[in-house]
Amino acid sequence: MKKRNAFLIAIVLTLSAYALVTLTVGDGMLRSAYATPGGALRGAVAIRDDVTPFQKWGTKVFTWAYLRRNYDAAWYFTQSHENDQKESFLASLDLALQRYPHVDVFLLAHDNRYLNWVATLPAERREHLRFVYNTGCHNQPQGPRWIRLGADAYVGHPGYSLSPFFYYYFLRRWTRGHTIQEATLESNRLMERAFKMWDRLSFGKVNAAHFMRESIASYHGDDQLRIGGLPQ
């Protein structure tokens, strides 16, 4: 059963990666990534773990378009092995926390413990952490600890999640100025719709309900937080 589930997940992730990148490039989104006001007050740091070259490329192309348009400065790291880029990631995050009153962190990786890295930074600097999003499987329970480290809000997934579906919808809504609550609920809804589509196309071999239970994102902290802190 585990092998079968892993195989189905691999199929869905592969197809989804190609579909999402095709959508992103094909509809001009890279040229029109929405920019919210107030970017000079915020920075962003993102890290991608060691996956296939296509996944690394697709994640960066999609993410970077939004970070560079919506933050005064952004740093993006791609790992080649587990602890790769640790020093560079921490140095850049430390610089961002010193330079900006609001810093958002995007952990685009499988089950991870980057919070242990961040915990080594001075507490007074961690107070400038604003929002942390984590794609990692089983990393939703990290939320309370990220809040204690200084973050105002955290979003994560509970199980063996298919988080790329959620992230594709979430990043666009977050950078358009939706609140954490709005962006999370809407992205969960759209993710479920995508799972149901794959369920139909696979004649039930892809279990939409199961994938949703494993993947549904939840938030900790300030659910009314938004990227610009401005009313819509």
Side-chain angles (χ1 to χ4, degrees):
M1 182 61 71
K2 289 183 178 180
K3 289 183 178 180
R4 177 176 177 274
N5 287 340
F7 177 70
L8 288 173
I9 290 174
I11 291 176
V12 172
L13 281 176
T14 301
L15 292 175
S16 301
Y18 280 97
L20 294 181
V21 171
T22 300
L23 278 172
T24 301
V25 175
D27 69 3
M29 189 174 297
L30 292 181
R31 296 187 296 276
S32 60
Y34 190 88
T36 54
L41 298 176
R42 57 184 180 257
V45 181
I47 188 166
R48 166 85 259 196
D49 61 347
D50 185 24
V51 290
T52 68
F54 178 80
Q55 289 175 304
K56 290 179 180 179
W57 173 80
T59 304
K60 184 173 184 179
V61 167
F62 174 68
T63 302
W64 189 244
Y66 289 91
L67 298 190
R68 69 182 177 84
R69 288 292 299 274
N70 290 281
Y71 294 87
D72 181 59
W75 293 260
Y76 189 101
F77 300 94
T78 301
Q79 295 180 295
S80 297
H81 52 79
E82 184 176 356
N83 285 311
D84 185 34
Q85 302 290 346
K86 179 178 180 180
E87 292 77 12
S88 297
F89 173 84
L90 285 176
S92 297
L93 179 58
D94 192 37
L95 177 63
L97 293 170
Q98 293 180 65
R99 184 182 295 176
Y100 299 102
H102 308 298
V103 178
D104 298 337
V105 177
F106 298 87
L107 307 175
L108 311 175
H110 294 86
D111 181 25
N112 60 77
R113 296 293 181 273
Y114 297 118
L115 61 84
N116 293 331
W117 294 6
V118 177
T120 65
L121 295 176
E124 64 273 16
R125 297 221 259 279
R126 298 199 311 266
E127 292 178 0
H128 292 174
L129 279 174
R130 181 174 60 171
F131 168 57
V132 178
Y133 171 64
N134 193 339
T135 67
C137 295
H138 302 289
N139 285 162
Q140 185 274 334
Q142 290 184 7
R145 185 173 175 190
W146 277 106
I147 301 302
R148 290 195 297 273
L149 283 178
D152 296 319
Y154 173 90
V155 173
H157 302 269
Y160 289 107
S161 70
L162 297 180
S163 52
F165 283 92
F166 176 87
Y167 179 58
Y168 174 73
Y169 298 119
F170 181 85
L171 183 61
R172 294 190 297 168
R173 281 151 184 80
W174 168 251
T175 53
R176 280 178 170 81
H178 294 200
T179 66
I180 291 290
Q181 181 184 63
E182 292 167 344
T184 300
L185 293 177
E186 179 66 4
S187 299
N188 278 333
R189 184 186 69 80
L190 293 170
M191 177 173 63
E192 183 174 28
R193 186 177 70 177
F195 290 164
K196 289 179 176 178
M197 180 190 71
W198 284 112
D199 194 325
R200 292 192 298 271
L201 292 175
S202 68
F203 301 100
K205 292 182 179 179
V206 171
N207 188 323
H210 171 74
F211 285 159
M212 195 62 190
R213 285 193 300 272
E214 296 288 311
S215 305
I216 187 169
S218 59
Y219 45 77
H220 295 266
D222 183 2
D223 64 356
Q224 295 305 300
L225 187 70
R226 64 174 83 241
I227 188 171
L230 300 171
Q232 295 300 295

